[in-house]
């Protein structure tokens, strides 16, 4: 451990920074109580939102000073990370970083740096955002720590495999790949599960080597237990939206999901979501609706449009449309049943083989159909995300089935999760207005 | 330039195979177990697009940001182009083919059985065991469809025979400079492996190899990388300019020339062979492996420049491009990127860029 780095870490990441973030949170809470920035159509954010934001900000703050103090692993959003957390790694999620850049509307500027270096505009905009940040040294979070280890799991796409190959080349650090064969049918074959298991075992060996210590079974189990609990709580929060009117919109979920992705094995995450669930329940008791005049309830499929999160939420709320569920936020909840804390290794194999993105287009339709029933939905918005082929392919047939068989209006909204150049405000507004009319006509 | 040995047309080969009572497998890119298909009586016929099909059929299932290989393949299927096939094999080469396989299985459900095949991307020891087992599972599936049950020895023989085909293909690629064939003819010959039975391909390959001429003196020389040499107008343009492609690094070409396996178990042997093939984007090879390999190919072939002939929206290829170009640049090898849609002709702008590259090389 580097003494200077440790001192800077102790001062900035443990004392001064958290104090500043706490002050910012208190200020935000105070402002929220005063009704600042309230929308006429949307309920105010959850009271716990500033705490969630503070937690996430602390994580990124720690990242600024963690170099030389803790080992750092850069990981994909669907990667099996419980053993890394148990080994004491600081985890950085480049996808989350890219989403922060998208929300802060600096993604296009950063992407331009990657494009300048030869990375095509046809590549996923998360990748371009992050590579651009890497090449230019610019980031809205201050500084990104250099990785000691890279872990890419193909359960969301093949894109991450290539992306992490680029990172491995750039940083010259070990890359561990956990390759999860795509599940075309109902079940993954025993061969696939065995293959994933072997790779997790191999990954643990590499991680132990980088961490300089052996994985303790107890801490592995403890982290897995917290992961499971946080995931269950997250799912419960989402499922509270079965209530009419829905207490929390999918747009809020997109923001509140950050800890379940990047901090899911931590005790504080469990506490956060437990408190969040209480607040959501309180909203239900008090009859608070996320869209004040909720009339239509719809499902959002695919990633959000990070740079227009608020604008799209407002636009829909104005038309009394509440986006109450999303396949994207659900993806982190639906893993809960697979996580068996008594055997973390086995449960990791299943949990990380079965995310929605590693399963067929028919499975996704099935999930959407289930959500339509469970959440009493009137329609579906399918974000056709130019940057994310694995999520978007199949949507045209899914729409066909939703509008045909289920008689639910379904809109295919062409956009991109991070690249504003692929989004036209006027066109989107027109399409969403037409969708609203379809919902009206359907009633 | 000499005349290309006679090569039967694809439709004719399919017709003949069916007349003999054989079945036909439509095989999508990239890596597919030809030997296994043959062992079960299927003639593997690869579907790289094809170019020039009416794409409106596929457009109702696929967004416009999907590559034209996938879009055309689906359009071709929907317009009856694959009616003469009994099976559709969809290797998992990329997210787009993954999506296509899934849409076919879950929504379109064509008459022919759709069989996906996952290719492992792990660097670890489990990859070979996984792949061998997947091939065993595939064999069971093929047995069910064809009602054939070849013994392990018989399958092994097919594997060994296809290795001979691979060896000849390698000789053609390595001996390209001595072959008095135009670029168009050379690619017609090597790509005939995409549909010819191994025996017929061997005959054509041996005839061509017999034409090797040590004094063959190509003009300017290039290495062709990318996906597939379609549209073939590139070949015509290069022939017109008396430029020879002396080395190939395309997905449909040399990146599928595998070294022979060693095991006596046919499935293990196939897996060994595949996994030791040239570094390849769709297999997720490391950046260093890809660029070292490419640089070596350039040096060994004497190519003076590189053309990356890419299909638009091909993520696997696009990811490696900056690293590869940088590696070439370090060696003083100029390169150009031509990104095409299979259905478009080579534009004047692309030809201009090609000419600019040619001006830079001796
Ligand atoms: S392609 Fe999709 S799943 Fe993959 S990194 Fe990009 S947004 Fe995520
Ligand atoms: S061209 Fe690229 S994206 Fe298209 S099928 Fe081939 S490998 Fe996949």
């Amino acid at each position: 451990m580097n003494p200077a780095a440790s001192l800077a870490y102790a001062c900035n990441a443990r004392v001064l920074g958290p104090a500043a973030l706490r002050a910012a949170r208190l200020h935000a809470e105070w402002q929220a109580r005063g009704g600042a920035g309230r929308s006429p159509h949307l309920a105010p954010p959850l009271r716990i939102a500033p705490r969630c934001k503070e937690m996430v900000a602390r994580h990124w703050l720690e990242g600024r000073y963690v170099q030389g103090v803790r080992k750092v692993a850069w990981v994909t959003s669907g990667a099996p990370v419980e053993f890394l957390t148990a080994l004491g790694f600081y985890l950085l999620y480049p996808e989350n970083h890219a989403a922060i850049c998208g929300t802060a509307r600096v993604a296009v500027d950063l992407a331009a740096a990657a494009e300048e270096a030869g990375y095509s505009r046809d590549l996923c905009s998360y990748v371009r955002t992050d590579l651009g940040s890497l090449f230019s040294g610019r980031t809205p979070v201050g500084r990104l720590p250099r990785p000691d280890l890279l872990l890419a799991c193909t359960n969301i796409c093949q894109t991450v495999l290539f992306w992490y190959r680029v990172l491995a080349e750039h940083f010259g650090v070990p890359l561990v790949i956990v390759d999860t064969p795509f599940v075309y049918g109902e079940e993954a074959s025993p061969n696939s599960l065995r293959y994933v298991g072997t790779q997790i075992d191999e990954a643990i060996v590499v991680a132990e080597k980088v961490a300089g210590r052996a994985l303790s079974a107890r801490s592995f189990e403890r982290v897995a237990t917290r992961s499971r609990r946080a995931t269950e709580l997250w799912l419960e929060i989402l499922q509270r939206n079965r209530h009419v009117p829905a207490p929390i919109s999918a747009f809020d979920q997109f923001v509140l999901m950050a800890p379940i992705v990047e901090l899911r094995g931590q005790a504080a995450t469990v506490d956060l979501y437990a408190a969040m669930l209480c607040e959501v329940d309180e909203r239900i008791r008090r009859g608070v609706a996320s869209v004040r005049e909720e009339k239509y309830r719809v499902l959002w499929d695919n990633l959000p449009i990070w740079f227009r999160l608020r604008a799209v939420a407002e636009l829909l709320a104005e038309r009394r449309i509440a986006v109450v569920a999303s396949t994207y936020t659900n993806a982190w909840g639906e893993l809960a049943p697979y996580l068996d804390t008594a055997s973390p290794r086995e449960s990791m194999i299943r949990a990380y083989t079965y995310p929605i993105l590693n399963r067929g287009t028919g499975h996704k339709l099935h999930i959407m159909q289930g959500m339509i029933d469970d959440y009493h939905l009137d329609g579906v918005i399918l974000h056709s995300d130019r940057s994310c082929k694995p999520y978007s392919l199949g949507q045209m047939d899914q729409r066909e089935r939703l509008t045909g068989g289920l008689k639910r209006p379904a809109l295919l909204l062409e956009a991109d999760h991070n690249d504003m150049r692929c989004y036209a405000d006027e066109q989107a507004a027109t399409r969403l207005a037409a969708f609203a009319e379809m919902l009206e006509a359907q009633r | 330039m000499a005349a290309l040995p006679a090569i039967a047309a694809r439709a004719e080969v399919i017709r003949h195979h069916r007349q003999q009572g054989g079945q036909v497998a439509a095989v999508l890119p990239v890596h597919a177990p030809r030997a296994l298909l043959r062992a079960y009586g299927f003639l593997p016929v690869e579907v790289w697009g094809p170019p020039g099909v009416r794409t409106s059929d596929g457009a109702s299932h696929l967004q416009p940001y999907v590559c034209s290989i996938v879009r055309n393949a689906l359009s071709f299927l929907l317009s009856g182009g694959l009616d003469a096939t009994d099976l559709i094999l969809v290797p998992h080469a990329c997210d787009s083919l993954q999506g296509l396989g899934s849409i076919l299985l879950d929504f379109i459900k064509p008459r022919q059985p759709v069989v996906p095949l996952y290719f492992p991307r792990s660097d670890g020891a489990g990859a070979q065991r996984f792949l061998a087992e997947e091939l065993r599972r595939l064999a069971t599936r093929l047995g069910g469809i064809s009602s054939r049950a070849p013994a392990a020895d018989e399958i092994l023989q097919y594997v060994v025979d296809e290795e001979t085909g691979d060896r000849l293909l390698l000789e053609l690629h390595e001996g390209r400079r001595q072959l008095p064939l135009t670029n168009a003819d050379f690619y017609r010959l090597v790509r005939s492996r995409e549909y010819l039975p191994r025996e017929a391909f061997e005959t054509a390959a041996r005839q061509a190899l017999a034409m090797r001429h040590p004094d063959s003196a190509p003009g300017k020389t290039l290495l062709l990388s990318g996906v597939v040499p379609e549209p073939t107008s590139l070949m015509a343009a290069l022939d017109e300019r008396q430029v020879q492609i002396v080395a190939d690094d395309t997905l449909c070409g040399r990146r599928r020339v595998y070294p022979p396996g060693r095991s006596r178990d046919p499935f293990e042997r196939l897996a060994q062979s595949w996994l030791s093939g040239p570094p390849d984007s769709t297999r997720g090879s490391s950046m260093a492996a890809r660029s070292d390999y490419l640089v070596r190919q350039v040096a060994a072939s004497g190519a003076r420049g590189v053309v990356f002939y890419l299909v638009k929206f091909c993520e696997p290829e696009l990811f490696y491009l900056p690293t590869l170009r940088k590696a070439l640049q370090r060696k003083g090898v100029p390169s150009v990127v031509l990104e095409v849609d299979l259905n478009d002709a080579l534009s004047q702008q692309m030809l201009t860029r090609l000419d600019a590259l040619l001006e830079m090389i001796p």
Side-chain angles (χ1 to χ4, degrees):
Chain A
M1 212 182 283
N2 172 340
S6 296
L7 186 64
Y9 177 81
C11 290
N12 297 317
R14 290 283 176 231
V15 182
L16 300 176
L21 291 173
R22 185 158 183 272
R25 192 242 305 161
L26 292 172
H27 181 68
E29 285 171 349
W30 176 75
Q31 275 194 320
R33 275 197 296 274
R38 287 230 173 127
S39 150
H41 310 290
L42 293 164
L46 291 179
R47 286 194 313 274
I48 204 164
R51 189 173 138 198
C52 180
K53 192 174 170 188
E54 179 192 10
M55 205 170 141
V56 174
R58 274 185 74 153
H59 178 66
W60 290 100
L61 173 77
E62 185 181 357
R64 286 174 77 158
Y65 300 100
V66 78
Q67 198 87 61
V69 179
R70 288 171 68 186
K71 292 290 179 188
V72 175
W74 286 25
V75 298
T76 57
S77 64
V81 290
E82 281 71 15
F83 62 92
L84 291 177
T85 305
L87 280 166
F89 276 87
Y90 171 86
L91 301 184
L92 186 140
Y93 286 77
E95 291 152 75
N96 283 27
H97 173 251
I100 291 173
C101 298
T103 315
R105 299 190 195 159
V106 296
V108 171
D109 270 0
L110 294 174
E115 289 156 20
E116 187 81 2
Y119 292 90
S120 163
R121 263 181 79 169
D122 292 331
L123 296 174
C124 167
S125 50
Y126 269 174
V127 184
R128 283 179 286 128
T129 304
D130 264 339
L131 290 183
S133 169
L134 200 62
F135 300 154
S136 66
R138 284 179 282 142
T139 163
V141 301
R143 186 172 55 229
L144 298 176
R146 213 186 123 79
D148 299 291
L149 176 71
L150 297 162
L151 171 62
C153 181
T154 61
N155 60 2
I156 50 170
C157 61
Q158 295 300 313
T159 296
V160 292
L161 173 63
F162 308 126
W163 181 359
Y164 278 62
R165 287 291 194 199
V166 175
L167 293 177
E169 187 74 8
H170 181 87
F171 289 113
V173 296
L175 162 63
V176 173
I177 293 165
V178 177
D179 179 31
T180 49
F182 187 74
V183 184
Y184 287 95
E186 291 289 306
E187 288 284 329
S189 70
N191 187 37
S192 292
L193 296 174
R194 192 172 47 234
Y195 171 52
V196 174
T198 309
Q199 294 174 82
I200 290 179
D201 295 342
E202 288 167 349
I204 291 174
V205 173
V206 178
E208 286 178 326
K209 212 165 142 192
V210 174
R213 63 177 157 115
L215 177 65
S216 118
R218 269 192 45 206
S219 50
F220 192 16
E221 211 178 299
R222 193 169 52 234
V223 172
T225 306
R226 288 178 190 152
S227 262
R228 182 188 167 118
R229 188 63 198 128
T231 309
E232 284 169 347
L233 285 165
W234 177 246
L235 188 61
E236 278 188 65
I237 292 166
L238 302 185
Q239 288 178 343
R240 289 299 196 267
N241 265 6
R242 292 175 175 180
H243 186 269
V244 180
I248 166 177
S249 86
F251 295 103
D252 293 326
Q253 296 168 12
F254 290 142
V255 177
L256 298 170
M257 71 188 281
I260 196 64
V261 181
E262 60 194 20
L263 300 167
R264 73 176 161 267
Q266 304 198 1
T269 308
V270 176
D271 295 345
L272 176 88
Y273 286 124
M276 197 180 288
L277 183 62
C278 289
E279 191 185 341
V280 171
D281 280 339
E282 184 195 317
R283 275 196 168 190
I284 292 175
R285 276 196 306 278
R286 288 175 36 223
V288 177
S290 67
V291 167
R292 292 182 201 277
E293 306 278 325
E294 175 186 304
K295 183 171 179 192
Y296 309 108
R297 298 164 60 86
V298 306
L299 171 73
W300 182 277
D301 178 50
N302 215 329
L303 280 83
I305 303 167
W306 290 114
F307 52 90
R308 284 290 183 274
L309 215 49
R310 175 84 187 191
V312 174
E314 287 278 0
L315 219 133
L316 291 168
E318 235 173 73
R319 290 168 171 80
R320 304 178 63 190
I321 300 171
V323 181
V324 304
S326 130
T327 53
Y328 185 61
T329 52
N330 190 57
W332 272 269
E334 65 184 2
L335 299 183
Y338 294 114
L339 293 166
D340 171 8
T341 48
S343 52
R345 178 190 177 273
E346 268 57 43
S347 69
M348 272 207 307
I349 295 171
R350 292 196 161 265
Y352 293 105
T353 297
Y354 284 122
I356 190 168
L357 274 177
N358 205 41
R359 306 190 69 171
T361 49
H363 174 79
K364 194 171 92 179
L365 176 66
H366 178 71
I367 293 282
M368 289 198 279
Q369 286 167 332
M371 291 175 93
I372 286 173
D373 290 340
D374 295 343
Y375 290 82
H376 324 292
L377 304 178
D378 302 294
V380 180
I381 298 173
L382 301 135
H383 168 204
S384 171
D385 186 346
R386 191 180 184 278
S387 266
C388 188
K389 292 188 183 76
Y391 219 139
S392 305
L393 262 74
Q395 282 178 324
M396 298 178 82
D397 284 283
Q398 287 154 357
R399 182 184 56 175
E400 186 73 23
R401 302 298 193 282
L402 292 167
T403 52
L406 286 183
K407 304 260 179 291
R408 292 294 195 289
L411 169 76
L412 200 69
L413 184 66
E414 295 287 346
D416 188 289
H417 57 262
N418 248 25
D419 195 333
M420 293 172 76
R421 294 167 296 184
C422 304
Y423 183 79
D425 282 306
E426 259 181 48
Q427 200 185 335
T430 313
R431 305 266 298 138
L432 290 169
F435 177 61
E437 281 166 23
M438 279 155 65
L439 289 173
E440 180 71 50
Q442 190 80 8
R443 277 266 160 126
Chain B
M1 290 290 154
L4 182 69
I7 296 173
R10 187 180 289 245
E12 192 187 315
V13 173
I14 293 174
R15 194 165 43 244
H16 183 253
H17 184 78
R18 292 186 74 86
Q19 276 165 1
Q20 307 287 307
Q23 291 184 297
V24 177
V27 177
L28 278 93
V30 172
H31 302 279
R34 192 190 308 271
L36 210 52
L37 290 162
R38 286 300 306 277
Y40 284 85
F42 291 95
L43 172 72
V45 175
E46 296 184 14
V47 183
W48 289 80
V53 299
R54 194 186 61 215
T55 53
S56 52
D57 295 317
S60 52
H61 299 274
L62 298 170
Q63 285 97 331
Y65 44 81
V66 175
C67 78
S68 49
I69 295 271
V70 166
R71 198 160 10 99
N72 282 25
L74 179 57
S75 302
F76 193 51
L77 166 74
L78 295 174
S79 63
L82 298 180
D83 283 356
T85 63
D86 306 280
L87 163 77
I88 303 174
L89 184 78
V90 190
H92 186 289
C94 59
D95 288 332
S96 300
L97 276 163
Q98 166 187 298
L100 176 65
S102 184
I103 291 170
L104 289 176
L105 281 163
D106 294 341
F107 297 127
I108 296 176
K109 301 181 179 168
R111 172 188 56 77
Q112 309 90 321
V114 175
V115 182
L117 177 65
Y118 194 83
F119 199 102
R121 272 73 169 197
S122 156
D123 296 329
Q128 186 180 315
R129 194 168 79 157
F130 167 78
L131 181 55
E133 189 54 34
E134 286 301 286
L135 292 168
R136 267 182 214 110
R137 279 168 14 101
L138 174 64
T140 308
R141 189 78 203 279
L142 295 176
I145 299 167
S146 65
S147 309
R148 290 192 187 203
D153 277 359
E154 216 180 318
I155 300 176
L156 181 63
Q157 192 53 52
Y158 276 98
V159 174
V160 172
D161 287 347
E162 289 295 339
E163 286 174 354
T164 309
D166 278 342
R167 189 174 48 73
L168 287 168
L169 197 54
L170 182 65
E171 280 184 46
L172 287 172
H173 280 292
E174 291 196 331
R176 169 65 186 115
R177 286 183 82 114
Q178 287 83 46
L179 287 172
L181 294 174
T182 61
N183 294 304
D185 280 348
F186 176 75
Y187 274 99
R188 208 168 299 143
L189 171 66
V190 289
R191 293 195 62 204
S192 67
R193 184 119 201 267
E194 292 170 16
Y195 64 90
L196 282 183
R198 193 248 328 150
E199 305 78 349
F201 173 73
E202 271 189 38
T203 308
R206 287 188 203 286
Q207 283 171 1
L209 288 167
M211 296 177 348
R212 269 180 296 193
H213 197 289
D215 298 334
S216 199
K220 294 192 178 194
T221 54
L222 290 177
L223 178 146
L224 183 72
S225 184
V227 180
V228 59
E230 302 273 8
T232 49
S233 42
L234 176 72
M235 298 300 134
L238 290 172
D239 284 331
E240 243 171 56
R241 289 160 174 77
Q242 301 197 329
V243 176
Q244 194 183 70
I245 297 170
V246 290
D248 176 277
D249 172 55
T250 59
L251 272 178
C252 81
R254 186 147 176 194
R255 269 190 255 170
R256 301 189 305 161
V257 181
Y258 317 100
R262 297 170 307 279
S263 173
R264 299 301 297 167
D265 174 284
F267 304 103
E268 291 290 341
R269 187 175 179 119
L270 258 176
Q272 275 168 354
S273 169
W274 272 16
L275 292 173
S276 43
D280 169 27
S281 59
T282 66
R283 285 174 37 206
S285 301
S286 75
M287 292 288 152
R290 271 290 288 136
S291 54
D292 290 351
Y293 172 80
L294 191 69
V295 166
R296 274 202 312 275
Q297 291 302 315
V298 169
S301 64
R304 297 303 180 97
V306 173
V307 175
F308 291 96
Y309 202 41
L310 303 186
V311 172
K312 184 138 177 70
F313 301 118
C314 177
E315 277 212 353
E317 289 293 285
L318 286 172
F319 260 105
Y320 288 81
L321 203 54
T323 307
L324 298 182
R325 295 194 78 191
K326 222 183 284 167
L328 292 170
Q329 211 174 12
R330 277 198 295 269
K331 297 282 173 192
V333 180
S335 63
V336 70
V337 182
L338 305 177
E339 233 183 321
V340 294
D341 184 294
L342 285 193
N343 303 306
D344 297 340
L346 211 57
S347 68
Q348 190 52 48
Q349 194 203 17
M350 285 188 198
L351 288 173
T352 309
R353 291 185 29 225
L354 180 65
D355 285 332
L357 172 79
L358 295 176
E359 274 169 26
M360 288 162 69
I361 63 178

